[in-house]
Amino acid sequence: MRGILPVLNERDGRPMSLLQRGLPPWQQEGEPVYARNTEVQRIVRYVIDGTSVSVIGQHWSGRTELLRRVGDALRGIGLALVQLRGIEHSRPLEAFKVALPNLPANRRPDADLSAELPRAVTELLSEGPAVVLVDDIDLLDEASWVLLEQIHKATGVPIVATAESRGDIDPDERLLIRMAQPVVKLTLDELRLDAIHDLLEERLGDQVAPSLSGRVHMKSGGLPGYAIAFADSAKRRAKIRKQGSVWHDGADLWSEELEGAFESLLYRYPEEIREALEMLVATGPLAVDQATTLVGQEELERLEGRGLVRLFSAGSGPRITVNPPGISDYFRHRAPSVRGIRLRQQIEEVLGPEFGIEIAEQPQVPRQFADVIPQPDIPLLARAFRDAFDADLGRTWSNWSESPSPGNGIAALELRLTGDAPAGQIEAIVAETELDAAAPLEALYFRYLHARWLVTQQQPREAVEAILAGTGDLGFPAAIEALTIGFHAEQTEITAPMLERIEEIAGLPGVEGDVGGLILIAMHALGGRPATALEQFAKLPNTGWVPRFAAPLRGLALVTAGRPQEALEWASSQLTVARERFDRSAIVAQAYVAVMALLTMSRYADATAAGSIAASGQFQAANLLFGPDRALMNALAIAARRSGRISSVGTLIERGASYAGRSEAVPMGAIGFPAALVTEIDGTPEETSASYRALAGALRERGYEFSAAGSTMLAMLLDFDVDEAIAERARLEYLGGTVFLAYLDARIAHHTRDAAGLVEAARWLRREHANDSALKYFLAAARLYREAGEEDRSAEVREEVAALMTSEDPATEIALTQVESSLGFTQREREIIDLVAEGMNNPGIAAALSLSVRTVETHLRNIRRKSGALEREEIGEYSTLR
């Protein structure tokens, strides 16, 4: 929901609210019970107040379903309903005839209908609290529109109406905001990826793999109607498969059943609009000037006004693409035709021959990064990256096949390390590229890429190092040695002799020093010396090939230095560069930096958003040393676990496990990490903390100090020990982890019930922009002061809470709900909280309340979001039984 725009027109005699007009006394006292859908609740409250509501949304955005739920809720509290539907080109008063089929016979002759119908409807609506519901009010016939306006003016009855969002509204368009007084406008936005994921799990009745929900989100553009259509048809046609309790996607989600769904949209529009869309599908995303040249300025604006194309930023600037992206599937699955040939010829004549070839479909893509990509852009950007990757696969293979030169080999090989490569192509490239005449730097980089591929194939280290060394002297022996050390450091261990040698290499001039410097940054950051790593970053050149590989390492060093806000800002700026260059591995690397930064700030929902563009697609970073593919999936699993999305944890871990040969050194990248994480779901807090502590010990022995510290922190979240925390604090102080020290101080103060210490730690967290956690500990301090009878100090802390909430850098919306959580729980949620406090598990709660276990899980997820509680013990603290 984007927002509510009140349109309150002054007039004499404002209509009475439904309560004033005689709602039954039992409904006047206290809060009525509505449907639990928040949009429905909001609309019902407006109607009870006598306010009309205009619901605006795209085609298949759920307008009709929302109106149905509103009708059920209003009918359930005793209102009389008149339900109309607009149908284009219908006969006069047809909407009312259909809505009131049981009018007395003496009122039905057509000759008298126009005179009798207004009186009959007015009498019906005047008998008690009533409301008129109109689906597609913009399509009402003229006579029904006039009658509706007369009824509203005569009775003041509120109207709830839906209409399609359009930017090219005619002055005579029939819109509720032109008729009703007062009226509010509600706009239905496209759903986020996590909402589509939940919708699919509800529809399919079990867990859904992130790759499936990501593909459906991309194709549907976030429109729930299309998402359900894709899921239903894919299930019926066996395009998706179930492994255990998880639904997975197949090679193609399209089925013949979807033709009707898209035709129901497309054939509402004139032939010229459909042809313009088909040409834009064939070309793929176009720059605005190219799209204007192809279809014309006026036609392009008509398409945008109807929501059929969208403007988004990628590559060299703004681009136009078809919306929702699934329209592309419709046109690409149509049989070849004379008409299609004519349109491709037209494209070639206007834009040139390179645009005359239809781009092949290979889906699987994702969604949003931090706050950089606007939510509606995600499916479009994902599709643009997919199309660019498919086109580049064909282009680089063709170029290399014609001329297997080092340059062509490098372009083809590096691209294939960032996604799924066609079978046999990488093997051919590494075997047949002609390196004899290659420049030394080209040959070095080709060897490096070849070695990276061998790592993903889990080849023995000796084979990888043999490829790096090669058979000829390139003149860069120290660079080859540095890469060999780097490969060992990312997979096995970081030792003092390795660091000493890398520091020597980093001091060399030219390419060797640059390669050594990059690896030194990673080893210092991951080995617990982030300040030294950042100093080294400043010594690297900021031109040529170095910045591309240094950028994610700087973000990693900022995270390990305990400076998450700086890391997030850096990752966001670098994402813009990655988008402009269609750099797939940079998307993954910067997403990882952002996710780790947001996890550090306890912003779990934002972390999920930041990583989803990589999580749901075919983006990979296998070309990068210290590649974070597996670590990113594990980090997202932590975010899912902390935000109550338990069903996503397993599929994210499974996805991470599919990335063989990725770095063991980066935080959450260790192969043993998922096993510890899984115990959070299946085991006791003591078992889980023991797993994390064992993992931390193993990581510390391998020299991965920062990853070890992270695992220790996770252990203490579940099983806090003051002595261990003090020891860990000394270690982190040595490493320089600023924000992590603040967290430890907060936990120590909370555990010892030190209210003053909590306030100081919360202020420290606020300075580090970890505002969600700062809010949590401010509130805890206020509670401790209040329990101690120090009301003045409690009030002072609450003033700090108010200042945080109203600052330019507030806590997130999810965290803010903690402040009013005691008022925000529904009755059902309170019942579940009480049962959790009694120690009951989810199946027991489900049996006690006659609910499904999935419904209980959904309620618990909402409780966690409102309260900020992570564990069941914390949820129990909100129980009325305590």
Side-chain angles (χ1 to χ4, degrees):
M1 190 74 67
R2 182 179 293 114
I4 305 173
L5 307 178
V7 187
L8 301 176
N9 299 318
E10 293 188 14
R11 69 165 185 157
D12 294 334
R14 181 183 184 276
M16 293 185 298
S17 74
L18 292 179
L19 292 177
Q20 294 171 319
R21 294 176 58 204
L23 200 63
W26 63 270
Q27 290 180 9
Q28 294 184 34
E29 298 176 1
E31 185 75 13
V33 179
Y34 309 131
R36 286 186 169 82
N37 181 286
T38 55
E39 290 90 350
V40 173
Q41 292 178 13
R42 187 173 296 176
I43 293 171
V44 169
R45 290 191 176 97
Y46 280 126
V47 169
I48 289 177
D49 190 45
T51 301
S52 296
V53 182
S54 176
V55 179
I56 306 296
Q58 291 185 50
H59 193 70
W60 281 42
S61 59
R63 305 190 313 268
T64 299
E65 174 64 16
L66 178 61
L67 194 66
R68 183 190 66 76
R69 295 187 181 189
V70 169
D72 290 344
L74 292 170
R75 193 179 293 106
I77 60 174
L79 273 71
L81 271 62
V82 174
Q83 295 182 274
L84 310 176
R85 184 185 180 107
I87 303 173
E88 282 185 300
H89 313 304
S90 59
R91 293 178 298 172
L93 297 174
E94 184 68 19
F96 280 93
K97 294 178 191 176
V98 173
L100 303 169
N102 298 320
L103 281 177
N106 62 346
R107 293 184 177 175
R108 292 309 307 273
D110 290 344
D112 300 329
L113 192 60
S114 61
E116 291 292 322
L117 193 56
R119 184 167 60 84
V121 176
T122 301
E123 288 178 1
L124 173 65
L125 296 176
S126 300
E127 292 175 357
V131 64
V132 177
L133 306 182
V134 190
D135 201 7
D136 290 330
I137 193 171
D138 48 330
L139 301 182
L140 275 181
D141 61 272
E142 177 66 25
S144 294
W145 172 263
V146 172
L147 175 55
L148 182 61
E149 188 170 16
Q150 291 172 351
I151 292 169
H152 177 70
K153 288 180 178 178
T155 66
V157 66
I159 302 169
V160 181
T162 71
E164 185 177 355
S165 57
R166 297 248 304 275
D168 57 341
I169 297 175
D170 187 273
D172 298 325
E173 196 81 48
R174 299 186 180 99
L175 300 176
L176 183 61
I177 59 174
R178 298 176 185 269
M179 174 214 296
Q181 306 174 39
V183 62
V184 294
K185 175 183 173 184
L186 274 65
T187 302
L188 298 181
D189 277 337
E190 301 90 338
L191 297 182
R192 292 161 51 112
L193 174 59
D194 52 358
I196 289 290
H197 185 89
D198 290 345
L199 179 68
L200 294 179
E201 289 196 335
E202 180 181 349
R203 188 72 175 185
L204 296 173
D206 225 320
Q207 298 177 42
V208 170
S211 58
L212 174 56
S213 54
R215 288 177 66 183
V216 171
H217 180 258
M218 179 200 72
K219 290 172 178 291
S220 66
L223 298 175
Y226 279 121
I228 289 173
F230 271 108
D232 287 349
S233 64
K235 182 179 179 181
R236 282 193 295 269
R237 295 285 182 172
K239 301 287 185 178
I240 58 178
R241 66 193 186 283
K242 195 172 184 182
Q243 295 180 349
S245 61
V246 181
W247 287 99
H248 292 267
D249 47 330
D252 188 8
L253 296 183
W254 182 264
S255 77
E256 296 172 358
E257 298 168 8
L258 285 164
E259 280 193 24
F262 281 94
E263 286 178 353
S264 71
L265 168 67
L266 296 173
Y267 279 85
R268 299 175 66 217
Y269 304 116
E271 175 70 13
E272 57 269 22
I273 284 185
R274 299 201 299 274
E275 288 198 353
L277 287 172
E278 188 167 356
M279 286 192 290
L280 291 172
V281 167
T283 61
L286 286 178
V288 177
D289 57 344
Q290 291 176 318
T292 302
T293 302
L294 181 61
V295 302
Q297 181 71 30
E298 184 177 345
E299 192 66 52
L300 193 60
E301 290 183 7
R302 287 178 66 196
L303 291 171
E304 184 183 37
R306 294 175 182 271
L308 295 172
V309 298
R310 293 288 288 271
L311 185 70
F312 73 103
S313 179
S316 58
R319 290 175 179 251
I320 290 287
T321 193
V322 172
N323 181 66
I327 291 177
S328 301
D329 297 79
Y330 170 78
F331 284 116
R332 288 172 175 168
H333 284 86
R334 297 185 74 183
S337 65
V338 174
R339 176 175 173 275
I341 293 173
R342 171 176 62 81
L343 293 178
R344 283 195 290 275
Q345 289 174 341
Q346 186 174 333
I347 294 170
E348 292 182 15
E349 290 171 2
V350 176
L351 298 178
E354 66 271 21
F355 287 96
I357 300 174
E358 195 170 340
I359 301 171
E361 158 89 15
Q362 282 199 10
Q364 283 202 249
V365 254
R367 189 194 135 249
Q368 152 142 2
F369 177 95
D371 299 322
V372 179
I373 306 176
Q375 200 66 43
D377 281 5
I378 301 305
L380 311 180
L381 183 64
R383 184 58 180 253
F385 265 82
R386 183 73 244 180
D387 286 348
F389 180 68
D390 290 340
D392 288 344
L393 277 176
R395 177 183 55 79
T396 55
W397 181 252
S398 176
N399 291 346
W400 179 83
S401 298
E402 293 178 6
S403 174
S405 64
N408 288 338
I410 287 170
L413 181 53
E414 183 169 37
L415 179 72
R416 283 154 179 78
L417 291 174
T418 67
D420 290 339
Q425 288 192 0
I426 291 182
E427 290 86 344
I429 292 166
V430 298
E432 300 174 27
T433 298
E434 299 170 354
L435 294 176
D436 294 341
L441 192 56
E442 276 188 329
L444 175 65
Y445 192 47
F446 188 90
R447 288 184 190 178
Y448 163 78
L449 292 175
H450 187 177
R452 294 302 312 153
W453 177 65
L454 291 180
V455 169
T456 67
Q457 303 304 300
Q458 297 183 293
Q459 294 296 309
R461 196 174 76 204
E462 294 77 13
V464 174
E465 293 178 359
I467 288 298
L468 282 173
T471 57
D473 182 13
L474 302 178
F476 301 122
I480 293 172
E481 183 184 359
L483 290 172
T484 302
I485 293 173
F487 277 53
H488 184 71
E490 73 162 0
Q491 297 288 328
T492 308
E493 62 182 349
I494 296 175
T495 65
M498 291 166 60
L499 272 169
E500 183 179 346
R501 179 55 184 150
I502 277 291
E503 286 176 350
E504 293 174 357
I505 296 174
L508 297 175
V511 170
E512 294 181 310
D514 294 341
V515 171
L518 288 169
I519 296 170
L520 181 61
I521 291 173
M523 291 175 65
H524 273 315
L526 299 172
R529 292 163 293 278
T532 308
L534 290 169
E535 290 173 4
Q536 178 62 37
F537 184 87
K539 299 176 183 178
L540 292 173
N542 58 4
T543 57
W545 57 272
V546 175
R548 179 188 172 202
F549 294 92
L553 296 178
R554 183 175 192 271
L556 182 63
L558 288 169
V559 170
T560 56
R563 293 153 62 180
Q565 182 66 25
E566 287 183 63
L568 182 62
E569 292 171 358
W570 173 258
S572 299
S573 68
Q574 293 304 305
L575 176 71
T576 302
V577 176
R579 289 169 60 193
E580 291 173 354
R581 297 176 178 173
F582 283 91
D583 189 335
R584 297 162 59 81
S585 59
I587 290 282
V588 176
Q590 300 304 338
Y592 173 69
V593 170
V595 168
M596 292 302 297
L598 290 163
L599 286 180
T600 299
M601 293 187 281
S602 301
R603 290 167 55 181
Y604 304 117
D606 289 341
T608 298
S612 56
I613 192 166
S616 296
Q618 289 297 310
F619 294 81
Q620 295 182 35
N623 60 321
L624 298 182
L625 192 59
F626 298 96
D629 296 292
R630 182 172 60 232
L632 174 58
M633 295 303 111
N634 291 338
L636 289 173
I638 281 284
R641 170 73 181 93
R642 294 292 184 269
S643 57
R645 307 181 65 82
I646 306 299
S647 63
S648 298
V649 173
T651 50
L652 287 165
I653 288 174
E654 181 183 348
R655 176 72 177 275
S658 70
Y659 294 126
R662 301 317 199 267
S663 177
E664 289 261 313
V666 295
M668 301 187 187
I671 290 177
F673 184 85
L677 173 58
V678 167
T679 62
E680 286 200 33
I681 302 171
D682 300 331
T684 65
E686 292 77 16
E687 290 171 336
T688 304
S689 62
S691 296
Y692 280 130
R693 287 185 173 93
L695 178 62
L699 290 170
R700 191 163 282 121
E701 287 180 2
R702 297 167 68 183
Y704 301 152
E705 287 289 341
F706 183 71
S707 294
S711 293
T712 302
M713 294 284 283
L714 288 171
M716 286 191 291
L717 281 175
L718 299 163
D719 183 20
F720 190 76
D721 180 270
V722 172
D723 293 335
E724 180 187 32
I726 293 172
E728 189 65 21
R729 193 189 189 288
R731 183 181 290 114
L732 285 173
E733 193 166 20
Y734 169 74
L735 299 180
T738 307
V739 75
F740 308 110
L741 295 174
Y743 276 117
L744 278 175
D745 284 354
R747 290 303 299 265
I748 292 169
H750 199 189
H751 188 81
T752 58
R753 300 182 65 81
D754 175 6
L758 264 178
V759 171
E760 289 305 313
R763 289 171 178 166
W764 192 355
L765 287 166
R766 184 181 176 183
R767 289 195 297 271
E768 297 297 332
H769 303 275
N771 292 333
D772 287 13
S773 294
L775 178 62
K776 174 182 176 180
Y777 290 117
F778 272 135
L779 292 173
R783 187 165 57 249
L784 287 176
Y785 276 130
R786 188 176 62 248
E787 291 172 356
E790 299 182 61
E791 291 294 341
D792 290 343
R793 290 195 174 184
S794 179
E796 290 173 2
V797 175
R798 290 192 175 278
E799 287 179 7
E800 296 207 46
V801 170
L804 172 59
M805 292 168 60
T806 57
S807 67
E808 293 183 359
D809 180 28
T812 64
E813 291 183 9
I814 291 174
L816 294 180
T817 60
Q818 295 179 32
V819 179
E820 298 178 352
S821 60
S822 60
L823 302 176
F825 295 129
T826 66
Q827 182 60 37
R828 179 64 80 191
E829 288 168 352
R830 287 190 176 281
E831 292 171 352
I832 290 175
I833 289 170
D834 288 344
L835 294 176
V836 167
E838 292 178 356
M840 196 173 288
N841 61 18
N842 290 0
I845 294 172
L849 299 178
S850 299
L851 301 173
S852 70
V853 174
R854 180 172 293 279
T855 299
V856 172
E857 290 173 350
T858 300
H859 283 306
L860 285 171
R861 182 189 307 161
N862 293 334
I863 290 167
R864 287 185 174 99
R865 287 173 177 170
K866 289 180 180 181
S867 66
L870 297 179
E871 304 305 321
R872 298 179 79 88
E873 292 77 8
E874 293 178 290
I875 291 173
E877 291 179 4
Y878 290 89
S879 172
T880 56
L881 304 178
R882 296 191 175 183

